[in-house]
Amino acid sequence: MSEGRAIPEATVARLAVYLRVLGGLAGTGLGTISSEALASAAGVNSAKLRKDLSYLGSFGTRGVGYEVEVLQERISTALGVSEHRAVVLVGVGNLGLALAGYGGFRNRGFDIAGLFDSDARRIGQRIAEILVRPMSDLPAVVRRESVSIGVIATPAEAAQAVCDQLVAAGVTSILNFAPAVLVVPENVDVRKVDLAVELQILSFHEQRKSAGLKVVL
Amino acid sequence: MSEGRAIPEATVARLAVYLRVLGGLAGTGLGTISSEALASAAGVNSAKLRKDLSYLGSFGTRGVGYEVEVLQERISTALGVSEHRAVVLVGVGNLGLALAGYGGFRNRGFDIAGLFDSDARRIGQRIAEILVRPMSDLPAVVRRESVSIGVIATPAEAAQAVCDQLVAAGVTSILNFAPAVLVVPENVDVRKVDLAVELQILSFHEQRKSAGLKVVL
DNA sequence: TAGATTGTTAATCGATTAACAATC
DNA sequence: TAGATTGTTAATCGATTAACAATC
């Protein structure tokens, strides 16, 4: 059953960052990179970077560093970026448009298998070459493309109903951008992205700083 | 100098969630709520909720629960939601439009003091009643409105230049939505929101689940 | 060999959780 | 008083970090 050690979530998030930084390095002709250099480019300390990489095995060269290509390969494989994964995106408002056009998804191996909206005026449009479909098409697309991940970018009021439809269609992981708390069955994994919470946290620290209070990061 | 204990970042994030859930309860005429009830509505366990609230003092009633209004008041005050904070938003593409129109900001006490873009066609437009200005207006707006927080919603290529301009104008906290790692002076706090990393993490767990491996959450 | 850098250990730190005394 | 629920303690767990032996 269990191969390799489990990788902590915090590490998974950073691995994705390292991969992007390495991508930015492509074309510099740099064949090898030290943990110190990569860490500083990614904004973490080198001990943490080495610890993170150690979850993927040991494939650096002491006294030298890591081969950039090997590093990219290992991280990509671990994250599963090499395989394509189909996702469906529901809600084609401003945020939905931003997400559909966002290159970061495709770069990380995510293909948008379908865009869905309840607004008849949207249906039939093409966004970034992807057709906007009615919600009634959802079950068929999810089945046909073996979609297991759904992204919700609707207004808060619609989010729970959309979530239910996604679950009914067979989606088991949901990324929720709507400002609503979703109720799902046990076997479904929901993750919430709250654009405002990030701003809130930033602002909180800002206030603490100016108040001269100790700030815990 | 130091009043009250420092509140952990994870707690700050959850406090914002509790506040939203409490807001959703308004109008139900519920005068009081137990940690158990609020926790389940917010999707956390009650021990964590009580621990979180304990950073704000002790103001519940044993055997009864918390008065909803008192709770809202305490959390709002701690998070500084009661005061208005001016932010500037740079980049009025799809994501920028989504953020400008996103009610969550205003609800949490953030006023967008200015929208900025480098595209002449955007300048002069009004989005959610806010005027889109040229970058040359940035320093004046930041000074006039005492803005300390900037939000970057530009393409990756433009992000660092915009960041430099924000810092030069006097902004000390930056929320970065662009897929780029930013370099800033020591005294500036940058926080990155990577829409794709969230999807990546979700997908990673999805793969692990289907591979029958142990997943660490 | 001398210098550099990895991979890993062990210490530290912070966050979560269960449990329960306090108390309404 | 009996039942309920808070607030806090202490145990546990996981993540970060410094330090250094291994080794290129």
Side-chain angles (χ1 to χ4, degrees), chain A:
Chain A
M1 178 90 55
S2 166
E3 178 256 301
R5 57 222 76 242
I7 304 180
E9 173 151 352
T11 293
V12 172
R14 284 190 300 264
L15 285 173
V17 173
Y18 304 151
L19 195 55
R20 196 181 50 224
V21 172
L22 286 169
L25 253 55
T28 53
L30 205 62
T32 194
I33 191 167
S34 71
S35 61
E36 190 62 56
L38 180 54
S40 100
V44 303
N45 79 34
S46 67
K48 195 189 282 182
L49 173 78
R50 289 197 300 278
K51 182 76 176 175
D52 285 340
L53 294 182
S54 76
Y55 289 106
L56 313 183
S58 60
F59 49 94
T61 308
R62 288 162 200 243
V64 179
Y66 302 88
E67 265 189 66
V68 172
E69 281 194 22
V70 173
L71 199 46
Q72 286 181 305
E73 223 287 306
R74 289 289 185 122
I75 299 177
S76 300
T77 305
L79 292 178
V81 168
S82 33
E83 296 140 54
H84 284 262
R85 294 183 69 78
V87 306
V88 289
L89 171 57
V90 184
V92 191
N94 286 321
L95 183 58
L97 287 172
L99 294 171
Y102 182 45
F105 285 176
R106 203 163 298 236
N107 286 342
R108 286 190 169 97
F110 298 105
D111 288 333
I112 298 180
L115 291 171
F116 295 86
D117 204 295
S118 59
D119 184 341
R121 287 166 300 182
R122 294 273 185 200
I123 293 165
Q125 288 184 357
R126 277 182 183 277
I127 289 156
E129 308 200 342
I130 308 158
L131 185 66
V132 179
R133 298 181 149 90
M135 288 301 285
S136 55
D137 284 3
L138 185 65
V141 172
V142 167
R143 205 178 324 112
R144 174 156 43 86
E145 309 276 347
S146 306
V147 174
S148 61
I149 299 176
V151 178
I152 299 179
T154 66
E157 311 82 67
Q160 183 64 56
V162 164
C163 175
D164 294 343
Q165 289 176 79
L166 284 168
V167 171
V171 163
T172 50
S173 293
I174 291 173
L175 185 59
N176 176 31
F177 283 91
V181 176
L182 299 177
V183 180
V184 292
E186 274 261 340
N187 61 325
V188 175
D189 187 8
V190 177
R191 209 161 284 257
K192 181 144 180 24
V193 179
D194 190 335
L195 306 173
V197 161
E198 302 293 337
L199 195 53
Q200 183 78 66
I201 295 173
L202 196 65
S203 163
F204 178 80
H205 288 306
E206 179 79 17
Q207 287 175 284
R208 290 279 145 150
K209 260 194 299 181
S210 62
L213 297 169
K214 195 187 156 221
V215 169
V216 175
L217 288 172

Side-chain angles (χ1 to χ4, degrees), chain B residues 2 12 18 35 53 56 58 63 68 70 72 80 83 92 105 112 121 124 135 163-164 166-167 171 185 191 202 213 217:
Chain B
S2 165
V12 172
Y18 305 152
S35 61
L53 294 183
L56 313 184
S58 61
V68 173
V70 173
Q72 285 181 305
E83 296 140 53
V92 191
F105 284 175
I112 298 180
R121 287 166 300 181
M135 287 302 285
C163 175
D164 294 343
L166 284 168
V167 171
V171 163
R191 210 161 283 259
L202 196 66
L213 297 170
L217 286 173

